[in-house]
Amino acid sequence: MTRSDLVEELAARFGQLTQRDADLAVKTILDAVGDALVRGHRIEIRGFGSFSVSHRPPRLGRNPRSGEAVQIPEKRVPHFKPGKALREAVDRQPQDS
């Protein structure tokens, strides 16, 4: 599902929302989540999951072409952990082929 698919779904479920209003709502929510993660906050949506920032320590890697050792700096990366209800719902659903 893409962002535009999400906007269409929101507009379809709530007839009083125009496509433009649905787009603004989706954009506002995604911006708020992104801004909170940039500030290092944790976002928890009950029944869905939580977003947090993980810290990856610096490490030594290898350049795949030359085999040369390369120092990889520490990073902060977004992390999503699904909630129990979401994990169980996904597990119960058969895979699409």
Side-chain angles (χ1 to χ4, degrees):
M1 176 177 262
T2 64
R3 178 179 162 171
S4 57
D5 293 337
L6 192 57
V7 169
E8 287 177 23
E9 180 74 23
L10 190 61
R13 283 193 189 189
F14 299 97
Q16 69 272 23
L17 280 180
T18 64
Q19 194 82 7
R20 188 175 186 184
D21 290 339
D23 184 52
L24 183 61
V26 170
K27 180 183 181 339
T28 302
I29 290 169
L30 294 177
D31 286 348
V33 168
D35 291 344
L37 287 172
V38 166
R39 291 191 312 269
H41 295 231
R42 182 174 183 271
I43 298 108
E44 183 176 331
I45 302 169
R46 303 267 177 190
F48 183 72
S50 62
F51 297 88
S52 60
V53 177
S54 295
H55 299 278
R56 290 190 185 161
R59 61 188 175 91
L60 194 61
R62 296 233 172 254
N63 179 331
R65 284 191 180 174
S66 65
E68 177 185 346
V70 178
Q71 185 63 36
I72 300 171
E74 70 177 322
K75 286 185 178 185
R76 290 174 13 139
V77 293
H79 175 75
F80 174 72
K81 181 178 178 186
K84 182 178 177 185
L86 179 59
R87 275 194 324 268
E88 290 174 352
V90 168
D91 190 40
R92 280 193 305 270
Q93 199 66 356
Q95 276 188 331
D96 292 335
S97 298

